[in-house]
């Protein structure tokens, strides 16, 4: 591992590095390298390719000109009453919620969508007003659900309402839908807006006064818990403003607490497993029986989706907008807020555009936009204020990689505020991520004093998630208020060369590549990730005044923590653990990091070049490896 200006641990040269020609690779790694080279030849001019993707996706849908207004199907607006609700991890305010006894507009919206679909498509219109919906809006092919200015849809905050209408009757667990939760397939609660294998669909609005409200922080009837309580205890060390789950106290059931409904042994649901594999998947103790660990265990054990049943009695919160295996998708013009979990989660979608959307939810895991195993995505002119990553590109976890990589993704002209990462890749990326282009962005971080953006450009993976990241291009990013100026950490494994509380991989770096992300969270650690060909240019980072009166832009300019070989716990021989390689940072000014003595951190990195890079007023033209 190396720090900047530490000549004993850092190797610097003024010329470019020769790459990995001297490394001996396994046949599988050689094949992967050959494939990577083939892809690279197709992207000789990355920004020209980005423009071609953006142009192709400028308008991915087209609809028949026929409107179906939901009031014509029986929808009626509701009255509102005040309620004390959580609006973030720790803060409560008085919000409004539909009055008890409000008419449920779910049947009217459903009927309007179904008739529109049957008659050849068109636009289902939700007029201005307040509407209560105790069930999912299910998009069907050739239908655009459109919210007029001033339309505010309040989705029920009763989990039972999203276990009523799914296609899969799972008995006591409810009627559930095909879903993917943190990149593992399952049957679970429906999202508030859902589609499965639909084509030519849209969710649009006139402007941001049209709101889809998940009521994630509104207490359940008869108590103080809410959707967000199900997050449970936060494991990040030294986090800022995001270290609690609303109304959670130790002993409550939550996604990360042992659920007594889950089997005591994987042998009960996967009897064909060898004892050695069962013990590896389960690990020590019974923590694997918590819902958020039990689902990945089912994937590792090869249990089919029809046996991965969650819903009622379990604590896996649904995403707000969940589109599975859809093509030709437009998301445009609305605001989404107070979501139970991730705000947008398209899985295995093709040709999807999200434009001028305000992703505004500060609750636990309120990622703004998480495209997973998608091919052809345009994110254009959106704004993000989130309780987790603003944008997080994903591609499957454990053995759930059947949809392939996420690829051909353009992110442009967006603005980010609070969040864990502004543009993030991972952590679930077992299927691989390639050909991602991010440009002309403002990471404004307007809440820097109380709820700062943790990291600007972020990669997360580890020895469990594996996968590859290659051909990632970033340019023209303004970060006027910096990022978090103090460090946050994840606990490392016993015997790791990376002691806990020494690498600020959880928060504090402007650019952070973390190939050792939350290693204690995964019992199975047998898939080394591969990261190469990342090119970042023209990043400008401003300083803010810290609590102790200093001017600072971040904790560190960049953290590049490559894969940690000692984390591997599979059979011998261990596969090749390759360094992060072929990364360039060009024409960037990182402001003044708080950690002036160690303004960057490197571990297992080869071929990192700095060209015209300024850190703390010092200009650098160097090559580094560690």
């Amino acid at each position: 591992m190396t720090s900047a200006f530490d000549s004993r641990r850092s190797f610097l040269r003024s010329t470019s590095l020769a790459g990995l020609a001297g490394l001996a690779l396994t046949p599988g790694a050689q094949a992967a390298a050959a494939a990577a080279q083939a892809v690279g030849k197709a992207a000789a001019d990355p920004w020209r390719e980005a423009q071609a993707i953006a142009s192709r996706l400028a308008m991915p849908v087209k609809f028949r000109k026929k409107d179906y207004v939901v009031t014509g199907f029986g929808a009626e607006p509701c009255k509102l009453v005040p309620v004390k609700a959580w609006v973030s991890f720790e803060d409560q305010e008085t919000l409004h919620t539909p009055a008890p006894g409000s008419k449920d507009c779910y049947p009217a919206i459903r009927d309007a969508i179904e008739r529109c679909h049957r008659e050849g498509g068109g636009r289902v219109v939700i007029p201005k007003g307040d509407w209560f919906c105790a069930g999912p809006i299910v998009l069907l092919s050739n239908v655009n659900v459109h919210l007029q200015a001033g339309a505010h849809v309040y989705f029920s905050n009763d989990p039972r309402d999203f276990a009523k209408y799914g296609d899969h009757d799972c008995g006591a667990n409810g009627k559930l839908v095909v879903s993917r939760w943190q990149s593992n397939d399952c049957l679970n609660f429906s999202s508030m807006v859902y589609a499965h294998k639909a084509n030519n669909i849209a969710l649009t609005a006139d402007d941001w006064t049209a709101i889809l409200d998940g009521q994630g922080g509104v207490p359940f009837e008869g108590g103080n818990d809410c959707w967000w309580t199900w997050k449970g205890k936060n494991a990040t060390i030294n986090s800022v403003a995001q270290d609690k789950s609303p109304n959670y106290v130790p002993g409550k059931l939550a996604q990360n607490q042992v659920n007594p409904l889950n089997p005591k042994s994987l042998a009960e649901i996967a009897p064909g497993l060898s004892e050695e594999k069962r013990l590896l998947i389960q690990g020590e103790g019974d923590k694997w029986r918590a819902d958020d660990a039990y689902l990945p265990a089912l994937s590792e054990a090869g249990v089919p989706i029809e046996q991965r049943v969650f819903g009622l009695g379990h604590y896996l919160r649904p995403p707000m907008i969940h589109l599975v295996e859809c093509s030709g998708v437009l998301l445009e013009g609305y605001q989404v807020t107070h979501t139970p979990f991730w705000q947008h989660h398209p899985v295995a979608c093709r040709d999807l555009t999200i434009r001028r959307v305000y992703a505004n939810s500060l609750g636990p895991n309120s990622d703004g936009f998480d495209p997973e195993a998608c091919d052809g995505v345009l994110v254009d002119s959106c704004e993000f204020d989130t309780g987790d990553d603003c944008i997080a590109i994903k591609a499957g976890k454990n053995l759930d990689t059947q949809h392939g990589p996420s690829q051909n993704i353009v992110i442009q002209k967006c603005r980010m505020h609070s969040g864990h990462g502004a543009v993030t890749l991972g952590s679930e990326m077992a299927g691989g991520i390639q050909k991602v282009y991010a440009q002309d962005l403002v990471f404004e971080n307007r809440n820097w004093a109380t709820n700062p953006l943790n990291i600007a450009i972020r990669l997360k993976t580890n020895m469990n998630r594996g996968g590859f990241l290659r051909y990632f291009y970033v340019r023209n990013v303004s970060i006027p208020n910096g990022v978090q100026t103090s460090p946050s950490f994840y606990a490392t494994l016993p015997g790791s060369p990376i002691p806990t509380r020494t690498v600020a991989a959880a928060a504090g770096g402007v650019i952070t590549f973390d190939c050792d992300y939350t290693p204690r969270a995964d019992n199975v650690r047998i898939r080394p990730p591969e990261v190469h060909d990342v090119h970042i240019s023209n990043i400008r980072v401003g300083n803010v005044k810290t609590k102790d009166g200093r001017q600072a832009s971040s904790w560190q300019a960049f953290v590049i923590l490559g894969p940690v070989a000692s984390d591997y716990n599979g059979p011998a021989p261990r596969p090749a653990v390759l360094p992060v390689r072929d990364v360039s940072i060009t024409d960037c000014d990182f402001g003044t990091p708080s950690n002036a003595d160690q303004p960057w951190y490197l571990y297992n990195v080869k071929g990192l070049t700095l060209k015209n890079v300024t850190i703390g007023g010092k200009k650098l033209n160097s090559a580094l490896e560690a």
Side-chain angles (χ1 to χ4, degrees):
M1 64 193 89
T2 75
S3 64
F5 317 134
D6 185 345
S7 60
R8 295 172 301 170
R9 294 184 177 181
S10 184
F11 174 55
L12 288 79
R13 292 199 301 252
S14 60
T15 58
S16 63
L17 297 173
L20 295 176
L23 281 180
L25 301 180
T26 65
Q30 289 173 350
Q37 289 178 354
V39 173
K41 289 178 182 177
D45 185 344
W47 297 111
R48 184 179 223 172
E49 184 163 330
Q51 182 57 54
I53 294 168
S55 297
R56 181 172 63 83
L57 296 177
M59 185 50 63
V61 293
K62 187 176 182 180
F63 300 99
R64 185 172 69 114
K65 292 184 178 180
K66 169 74 173 177
D67 281 355
Y68 299 78
V69 183
V70 297
T71 50
F73 294 81
E76 296 178 7
C78 64
K79 294 184 178 180
L80 303 177
V81 295
V83 61
K84 187 177 182 180
W86 279 271
V87 294
S88 70
F89 286 72
E90 300 180 0
D91 300 319
Q92 287 183 291
E93 295 180 5
T94 297
L95 302 180
H96 288 92
T97 191
S102 293
K103 182 168 183 178
D104 176 13
C105 293
Y106 164 76
I109 297 172
R110 176 201 61 202
D111 291 349
I113 291 172
E114 289 181 351
R115 181 180 293 181
C116 178
H117 169 69
R118 283 196 311 269
E119 294 181 357
R123 192 172 73 154
V124 170
V125 178
I126 300 176
K128 178 180 179 180
D130 299 311
W131 310 91
F132 174 57
C133 188
I137 294 176
V138 179
L139 303 178
L140 300 177
S141 294
N142 302 313
V143 175
N144 171 17
V145 172
H146 181 79
L147 283 72
Q148 292 182 340
H152 193 139
V153 178
Y154 293 85
F155 289 97
S156 167
N157 65 322
D158 186 343
R160 293 172 295 184
D161 289 328
F162 299 94
K164 286 181 178 178
Y165 304 110
D167 294 330
H168 301 270
D169 190 341
C170 299
N173 298 69
K175 292 183 177 179
L176 308 179
V177 300
V178 171
S179 183
R180 184 169 269 208
W181 194 89
Q182 286 196 338
S183 298
N184 288 125
D185 299 319
C186 61
L187 299 176
N188 198 22
F189 297 104
S190 175
S191 56
M192 283 82 241
V193 178
Y194 180 76
H196 185 211
K197 296 186 176 180
N199 304 312
N200 195 51
I201 57 175
L203 179 65
T204 64
D206 290 342
D207 58 38
W208 289 350
T209 65
I211 299 173
L212 296 164
D213 192 332
Q215 301 203 96
V218 175
F220 299 147
E221 184 178 359
N224 291 314
D225 288 358
C226 61
W227 280 113
W228 293 345
T229 309
W230 290 9
K231 162 68 174 177
K233 189 177 185 297
N234 191 317
T236 304
I237 302 168
N238 197 41
S239 61
V240 177
Q242 298 177 358
D243 60 352
K244 296 180 181 178
S245 295
N247 212 50
Y248 181 78
V249 294
K252 280 188 179 180
L253 284 175
Q255 70 184 49
N256 57 7
Q257 303 300 307
V258 172
N259 189 333
L261 295 180
N262 294 332
K264 294 183 178 180
S265 171
L266 271 175
E268 297 179 36
I269 195 166
L273 277 182
S274 69
E275 186 68 1
E276 180 182 19
K277 189 169 184 180
R278 181 185 70 80
L279 292 174
L280 176 64
I281 295 171
Q282 292 185 191
E284 296 182 3
D286 61 355
K287 291 182 180 179
W288 72 278
R289 296 177 62 209
D291 286 336
D292 66 1
Y294 178 58
L295 176 55
L298 296 179
S299 175
E300 288 284 0
V303 174
I305 186 173
E306 58 265 23
Q307 293 179 262
R308 304 183 195 180
V309 179
F310 289 83
L312 297 173
H314 296 268
Y315 298 88
L316 301 186
R317 294 162 288 152
M320 182 78 173
I321 298 168
H322 194 30
L323 313 174
V324 182
E325 296 184 79
C326 298
S327 65
V329 179
L330 176 64
L331 306 170
E332 184 173 43
Y334 55 85
Q335 178 181 170
V336 61
T337 193
H338 304 313
T339 64
F341 192 57
W342 294 351
Q343 297 181 54
H344 300 84
H345 185 202
V347 175
C349 290
R350 301 293 178 266
D351 298 341
L352 180 149
T353 295
I354 179 170
R355 181 190 297 121
R356 294 192 299 274
V357 166
Y358 183 18
N360 177 29
S361 182
L362 294 175
N365 305 116
S366 288
D367 293 28
F369 180 64
D370 291 27
E372 176 161 4
C374 292
D375 189 352
V377 177
L378 174 61
V379 188
D380 190 1
S381 304
C382 294
E383 187 157 335
F384 298 88
D385 200 2
T386 64
D388 208 312
D389 293 318
C390 296
I391 296 174
I393 299 169
K394 301 179 182 295
K397 186 170 182 282
N398 307 103
L399 303 185
D400 294 338
T401 60
Q402 70 274 21
H403 298 304
S406 279
Q407 59 187 358
N408 300 314
I409 297 173
V410 176
I411 302 164
Q412 62 185 22
K413 303 175 187 175
C414 295
R415 186 176 299 269
M416 284 76 165
H417 300 292
S418 297
H420 290 183
V423 172
T424 296
L425 293 91
S427 66
E428 303 86 355
M429 52 180 285
I433 300 172
Q434 62 187 8
K435 302 177 81 171
V436 176
Y437 313 87
Q439 63 177 339
D440 304 330
L441 305 170
V442 178
F443 303 161
E444 187 172 337
N445 190 19
R446 69 183 174 204
N447 307 312
W448 62 268
T450 57
N451 189 5
L453 180 68
N454 293 175
I455 294 166
I457 299 164
R458 189 180 197 192
L459 162 71
K460 302 184 289 185
T461 185
N462 60 24
M463 202 70 77
N464 169 271
R465 287 118 205 267
F468 59 79
L469 167 63
R470 58 199 185 201
Y471 311 113
F472 176 35
Y473 304 90
V474 182
R475 69 175 182 180
N476 304 339
V477 179
S478 174
I479 313 176
N481 296 307
V483 298
Q484 184 172 310
T485 57
S486 60
S488 296
F489 313 96
Y490 296 116
T492 56
L493 288 162
S496 172
I498 314 294
T500 296
R501 292 180 180 268
T502 62
V503 182
V510 177
I511 299 169
T512 298
F513 288 4
D514 183 5
C515 298
D516 195 38
Y517 175 71
T518 61
R520 289 176 178 259
D522 300 297
N523 291 332
V524 178
R525 301 185 298 276
I526 60 174
R527 292 177 282 268
E530 185 176 3
V531 179
H532 64 87
D533 286 279
V534 178
H535 305 286
I536 299 169
S537 64
N538 195 25
I539 310 296
R540 296 287 180 268
V541 189
N543 296 325
V544 296
K545 190 173 183 179
T546 63
K547 291 180 179 179
D548 59 5
R550 294 179 298 154
Q551 292 289 317
S553 61
S554 59
W555 175 249
Q556 291 179 301
F558 53 86
V559 175
I560 302 184
L561 173 55
V564 178
S566 63
D567 287 355
Y568 179 81
N569 66 348
R574 183 179 65 201
V577 179
L578 300 175
V580 174
R581 64 190 192 273
D582 299 329
V583 177
S584 67
I585 302 175
T586 306
D587 298 328
C588 295
D589 187 340
F590 287 95
T592 305
S594 294
N595 190 358
D597 294 335
Q598 191 180 5
W600 69 69
Y601 178 93
L602 305 179
Y603 178 88
N604 198 15
V605 181
K606 188 177 180 70
L608 168 63
T609 61
L610 308 181
K611 183 178 179 181
N612 192 29
V613 170
T614 302
I615 301 176
K618 181 175 181 179
K619 186 162 288 188
L620 300 163
N621 290 281
S622 306
L624 299 94
E625 60 184 52

